[in-house]
């Protein structure tokens, strides 16, 4: 009988510290696509004062063996400084930001505002026929807000993808 870790899929949030240079993101994405791995979410931005280093946060799904293989292959890329699987290395925080446009009049507008208040979404634009809300939180919370806004008049969604950081004093850059 196969080991459950060889067949059970899990989500992994992987933080990668890299040199901020042209082509590195293409190399990371190429590593995934070339091996048939899927990227559920991807964010990247410079993280130091002189913009020499960037942090890439990748959410992917696979067996423990596949996740280990991904981490090992990422670690071998030349401009990579550190690879960290936040989902295995202890408590961490993961958040997304989204902008969501809802169109409607009358009672639909009032309901959209009530729900936004309950979810702590912020109105960042308003017209007589629509709102744009800004919301930050766990992906599940954002998904729930989207589901509630659909029947009210959801017209468009833009999401950042996951950003994540380990809890406690340790640092990916240390």
């Amino acid at each position: 009988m196969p080991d459950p870790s060889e067949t059970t899929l899990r989500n992994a949030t992987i933080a990668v510290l890299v040199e901020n240079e042209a082509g590195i993101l293409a190399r990371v994405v190429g590593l995934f696509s070339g091996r048939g791995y899927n990227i559920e979410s991807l964010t990247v931005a410079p993280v130091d004062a002189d913009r020499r280093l960037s942090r890439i946060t990748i959410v992917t799904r696979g067996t423990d063996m596949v996740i280990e293989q991904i981490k090992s292959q990422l670690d071998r890329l030349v401009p990579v400084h550190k690879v960290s699987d936040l989902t295995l290395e202890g408590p961490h925080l993961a958040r997304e930001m989204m902008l969501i446009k809802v169109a409607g009049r009358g009672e639909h507008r009032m309901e959209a505002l009530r729900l936004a208040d309950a979810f702590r979404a912020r109105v960042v634009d308003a017209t007589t026929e629509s709102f744009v809300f800004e919301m930050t939180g766990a992906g599940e919370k954002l998904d729930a807000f989207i589901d509630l806004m659909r029947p009210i008049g959801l017209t468009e969604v833009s999401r950042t993808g996951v950003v994540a950081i380990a809890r406690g004093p340790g640092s990916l850059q240390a």
Side-chain angles (χ1 to χ4, degrees):
M1 179 168 240
D3 181 349
S5 68
E6 294 175 13
T7 58
T8 304
L9 296 177
R10 71 173 178 92
N11 282 339
T13 301
I14 301 170
V16 187
L17 191 63
V18 299
E19 289 291 323
N20 186 9
E21 62 183 45
I24 182 60
L25 186 58
R27 291 176 64 195
V28 168
V29 170
L31 183 149
F32 277 77
S33 65
R35 289 159 182 81
Y37 305 143
N38 189 39
I39 296 174
E40 305 273 329
S41 173
L42 174 73
T43 59
V44 61
V47 292
D48 61 339
D50 59 0
R51 301 177 66 86
R52 190 179 58 81
L53 298 174
S54 286
R55 181 184 181 118
I56 301 172
T57 304
I58 303 164
V59 177
T60 190
R61 188 168 178 77
T63 63
D64 284 342
M65 187 175 80
V66 166
I67 302 299
E68 284 304 315
Q69 192 174 28
I70 289 169
K71 292 185 323 192
S72 174
Q73 290 167 353
L74 283 169
D75 209 24
R76 285 197 294 261
L77 289 177
V78 172
V80 169
H81 289 266
K82 189 168 182 183
V83 176
S84 178
D85 184 348
L86 297 174
T87 44
L88 290 184
E89 295 176 10
H92 68 282
L93 301 168
R95 297 290 186 268
E96 284 186 72
M97 195 274 287
M98 82 171 169
L99 297 173
I100 179 171
K101 187 183 296 184
V102 179
R105 293 183 171 269
E107 188 54 36
H108 283 285
R109 280 179 71 74
M110 296 309 297
E111 184 62 14
L113 286 171
R114 279 192 290 271
L115 288 169
D117 186 52
F119 276 79
R120 296 194 176 133
R122 202 168 65 106
V123 176
V124 292
D125 184 62
T127 69
T128 57
E129 297 179 5
S130 69
F131 290 110
V132 175
F133 298 105
E134 175 186 81
M135 191 168 151
T136 303
E140 297 80 20
K141 178 183 175 184
L142 275 56
D143 291 341
F145 188 66
I146 289 169
D147 289 343
L148 290 170
M149 289 297 177
R150 250 187 208 102
I152 294 172
L154 174 74
T155 62
E156 191 173 355
V157 176
S158 179
R159 289 172 82 156
T160 61
V162 174
V163 293
I165 197 165
R167 288 180 172 265
S171 170
L172 186 64
Q173 291 174 254

